[in-house]
Amino acid sequence: DKGGWSSFMAKEVSEEPEAVAKTVLGRISGDDIVIPELEGMDELFSGIDRVIVLACGTAYYAGLVGKYAIEKWARIPVDVELAHEFRYRDPIVDAKTLVVSISQSGETMDTLMAVKEASRLGARTLSICNTQGSTIPRESDAVVYTHAGPEVAVASTKAFVAQITALYLLALHVGRIRGSLAPEVGAEAVEQLESLPEKIQWILDNEQERTEQLARWMADTRSVLFLGRHVGYPIALEGALKLKEISYIHAEGFAAGELKHGPIALIEPGQPVFVVVPSPRGSATMHAKVVSNIEEIRARGARVIAIAEQGDSAVLPHADEVLRIPLAAPLFEPLLAVVPLHIYAMGLATAKGLDVDQPRNLAKSVTVE
Ligand code: F6R
């Protein structure tokens, strides 16, 4: 039931605040994150020396974001790998490896087979999953459910924000156990997590219409590029995937720092480029570098749509459009910056008269390898 929305995707994007809130619910204890499902596993988390995150598609991008949080808070080295690539390369894995799989459906065959292979090689396995009782959690030693609610549209949206949320909860939980998380850092993260739903809601209330209008203006666009840096990089990848998937427009995401190593050659007059701008409060250097990337592509005629925090006036002279997101600590920005990109992809597909819920050639859960 679409509950009055024009599509399941529209409904599910509107549920992004709730997806985060419900995933956090019941997992906060005072200033700490405590995940009840992981009770009794402290020894395991203290004993591991690396984490490998395995997933496909959008879930893989959530994993790329999660790497920053796990390394920062839990101080464990993290590799993030496409599940179908992991399986066929004779991976080096042992009992001190924690393999974290991420899957909305819990039925993705590529991810399932990679988890089985990791288990066979002796790794401990933990699944982040949105579907109770599905196959991947059953094949794993532990599960942390995302509580995004059923996702019907083929393109994943609310599950993505819930997956990042769950990874952050896991990073905080493990960081506390390993003693690598300073209590005040943990307390700040808890505060950030708790305030996310209303910030996402702010974007839906204040920037959705403008983003959709932008998408309508761009209905004839043949290619869109997405740039991001640090945690904004996987968001650029996600923005590009969503656009390809439902609007059939060529799209590519790049790490902003990679621009001068090749992709800048693609920039010609009129080329639309979305740029995820990191907060200047997080790292002034990184912010300045991204602003200078914007200047470089603008000088070559790109049409720049910046996603930047409220009050960041440095982007104004250089961008054609600025979509605003509320202030958040740097690691939490991806959960906000992705929202306009989901809206944009949906808006563009709608403007082209396409079925946003059922894009051609795709299935909701990919149960073949
Ligand atoms: C993109 C999308 C896919 C899935 C991928 C993994 O919008 O929906 O890329 O993210 O097929 O699916 P799950 O999470 O069910 O394993």
Side-chain angles (χ1 to χ4, degrees):
D1 175 26
K2 294 181 199 160
W5 295 90
S6 56
S7 63
F8 281 107
M9 189 176 179
K11 174 172 182 275
E12 288 160 10
V13 168
S14 83
E15 290 168 350
E16 289 190 354
E18 213 182 306
V20 172
K22 287 192 171 160
T23 299
V24 172
L25 195 74
R27 290 161 170 175
I28 293 180
S29 164
D31 280 346
D32 281 329
I33 295 298
V34 179
I35 305 179
E37 299 95 303
L38 303 181
E39 209 182 304
M41 294 182 69
D42 290 14
E43 219 168 294
L44 187 161
F45 292 127
S46 304
I48 53 172
D49 60 11
R50 69 189 285 227
V51 170
I52 302 179
V53 179
L54 299 177
C56 304
T58 283
Y60 168 71
Y61 300 146
L64 291 179
V65 175
K67 171 185 166 90
Y68 291 87
I70 300 171
E71 291 195 338
K72 187 159 189 86
W73 294 328
R75 302 304 294 159
I76 312 172
V78 181
D79 289 308
V80 188
E81 193 162 351
L82 292 165
H84 37 86
E85 288 292 324
F86 171 82
R87 225 193 124 192
Y88 293 103
R89 69 169 173 80
D90 197 6
I92 301 165
V93 165
D94 60 25
K96 289 186 150 198
T97 307
L98 176 67
V99 164
V100 176
S101 65
I102 311 171
S103 176
Q104 189 287 128
S105 61
E107 301 295 345
T108 299
M109 190 57 77
D110 286 318
T111 309
L112 173 63
M113 295 316 277
V115 169
K116 283 191 172 173
E117 175 68 3
S119 288
R120 195 185 65 81
L121 295 169
R124 312 304 300 265
T125 56
L126 184 152
S127 145
I128 291 182
C129 184
N130 198 47
T131 311
Q132 300 271 338
S134 56
T135 311
I136 296 172
R138 276 195 276 118
E139 290 288 334
S140 305
D141 300 326
V143 54
V144 175
Y145 281 108
T146 47
H147 296 292
E151 195 178 61
V152 177
V154 165
S156 187
T157 54
K158 63 176 180 173
F160 177 70
V161 290
Q163 284 159 351
I164 297 175
T165 303
L167 284 161
Y168 282 21
L169 294 172
L170 178 67
L172 292 164
H173 179 93
V174 174
R176 179 178 50 74
I177 290 164
R178 291 172 69 95
S180 55
L181 180 75
E184 63 279 8
V185 176
E188 199 221 340
V190 167
E191 220 179 278
Q192 289 286 320
L193 279 170
E194 287 186 310
S195 64
L196 273 171
E198 68 189 71
K199 291 176 185 173
I200 299 175
Q201 191 61 50
W202 185 93
I203 300 170
L204 297 171
D205 292 341
N206 294 280
E207 294 291 59
Q208 176 145 10
E209 243 175 66
R210 224 159 56 81
T211 308
E212 283 171 352
Q213 190 181 53
L214 200 67
R216 280 195 294 277
W217 289 337
M218 292 169 76
D220 294 330
T221 303
R222 301 192 42 176
S223 150
V224 182
L225 304 180
F226 295 81
L227 294 181
R229 200 174 176 116
H230 193 255
V231 280
Y233 169 42
I235 298 307
L237 298 175
E238 164 67 1
L241 175 63
K242 214 96 307 173
L243 192 64
K244 299 179 222 196
E245 193 180 4
I246 61 168
S247 77
Y248 319 148
I249 290 176
H250 171 255
E252 253 188 285
F254 299 107
E258 194 64 9
L259 204 57
K260 58 182 174 301
H261 300 289
I264 198 163
L266 287 169
I267 306 295
E268 51 184 43
Q271 171 68 53
V273 186
F274 276 80
V275 184
V276 180
V277 183
S279 158
R281 295 166 305 115
S283 158
T285 319
M286 223 163 48
H287 175 261
K289 286 197 166 148
V290 172
V291 171
S292 110
N293 289 142
I294 295 180
E295 288 177 274
E296 285 157 12
I297 55 174
R298 195 101 180 300
R300 289 162 180 82
R303 178 145 177 249
V304 175
I305 303 116
I307 299 174
E309 74 172 15
Q310 291 164 359
D312 180 356
S313 53
V315 294
L316 286 176
H318 308 296
D320 297 86
E321 303 282 344
V322 182
L323 298 172
R324 291 297 181 186
I325 58 172
L327 274 62
L331 276 182
F332 294 86
E333 287 170 18
L335 289 138
L336 303 177
V338 75
V339 180
L341 295 179
H342 284 165
I343 298 169
Y344 172 74
M346 192 167 63
L348 217 151
T350 307
K352 288 181 73 173
L354 299 169
D355 180 347
V356 298
D357 288 340
Q358 289 289 344
R360 68 186 180 200
N361 310 341
L362 289 167
K364 179 64 183 161
S365 86
V366 186
T367 52
V368 291
E369 277 184 89

